[in-house]
Structure formats: C-alpha cells, structure tokens
Amino acid sequence: MVGGKLGRGAIAAAAVVAMAGCGSATTTSKPATTTAAAETSSAVSPTAASPATLTVEVDNMKFSPAALTARVGDTVTWKFTDRFPHAVQGIGDAAMGINSPIVNHGEWSYTFTVAGTYRYLCPLHPEMRGTITVQ
C-alpha cells in the first residue's frame, strides 16, 4: 500500500512538473497577446477613426450639395445663409431625429450614429430636398 501511495505521489509530482511546463508556455504566449493589441491599435489610425464634420450650404433656395456621403460618427452641419428662413426635417422613420429649428442665418448640426440613407427637406419650402448616405 505504501508503494502505491508513493506511486500516486510520484504521479502527482509529475503532474505538478507538467503544469509548471505549461506555465512557461503561457509566458511565451503573452507576447502574442501584446502583439495582437499592438496590431489592433495600429490598424485603427487616429486619422481614419476620427469623425468628420461635413457641410451643407443652405442658400438660393437649395441644399448644396443635395446628396452627401458620410461615415457613421460624422457630423453634418447645415449653414444657413439664404435671405429666407429654412429648416431641416427628416423624411421617414430613419430620419426622425433630423429636425432643426427654423433658422434665418446660422448653423445647425446633426451627428449620424447609424448607417443608412437619410432623406430630408425644408418644411417651409418642400421642394428643397437632400439626402445623406451614411456608410
């Protein structure tokens, strides 16, 4: 019986040694994790990830440009310089949040957080229409 217990003890000691060997393999894998983190941070450059501010001029009874492409996180600023008051109002469910006050001169901005196509118009002059495509 004592020999059997020693045999089990020897097996336990061998398991501890094997686990210690596994621990050194874990140490070897740590640089791979650090490298992966470095790859992730270098893949996303600050310039590429930085949100942009795009401008739509509101003048001469039109939105210019009438069609604009933006990225998720970008902000669109409408600059009102026309002699008439205007507003920006989204058309349809996707554009419900786009709803500026009536502006004579000045700016109004909206940040797009979801990809999609957003149509809008001036509620005072419904023939004035625009589209923002967010990618």
Side-chain angles (χ1 to χ4, degrees):
M1 254 350 203
V2 173
K5 287 184 181 179
L6 287 177
R8 289 183 193 154
I11 292 172
V16 169
V17 170
M19 287 179 163
C22 289
S24 66
T26 303
T27 303
T28 305
S29 67
K30 283 184 182 177
T33 304
T34 304
T35 304
E39 289 172 1
T40 302
S41 63
S42 67
V44 181
S45 67
T47 305
S50 298
T53 299
L54 308 168
T55 302
V56 174
E57 297 290 335
V58 185
D59 193 21
N60 291 323
M61 297 296 289
K62 65 181 178 181
F63 296 112
S64 182
L68 189 64
T69 301
R71 295 175 300 165
V72 171
D74 285 353
T75 298
V76 176
T77 298
W78 284 265
K79 291 188 178 186
F80 299 88
T81 57
D82 206 348
R83 62 183 181 187
F84 302 105
H86 297 288
V88 179
Q89 183 176 27
I91 302 171
D93 291 343
M96 291 284 293
I98 302 172
N99 195 13
S100 79
I102 296 172
V103 179
N104 288 324
H105 289 287
E107 298 179 350
W108 181 77
S109 297
Y110 184 83
T111 301
F112 291 87
T113 58
V114 177
T117 300
Y118 299 85
R119 297 178 308 127
Y120 63 91
L121 57 77
C122 172
L124 302 173
H125 310 101
E127 67 280 3
M128 293 176 59
R129 293 175 178 258
T131 303
I132 307 291
T133 303
V134 181
Q135 301 174 337

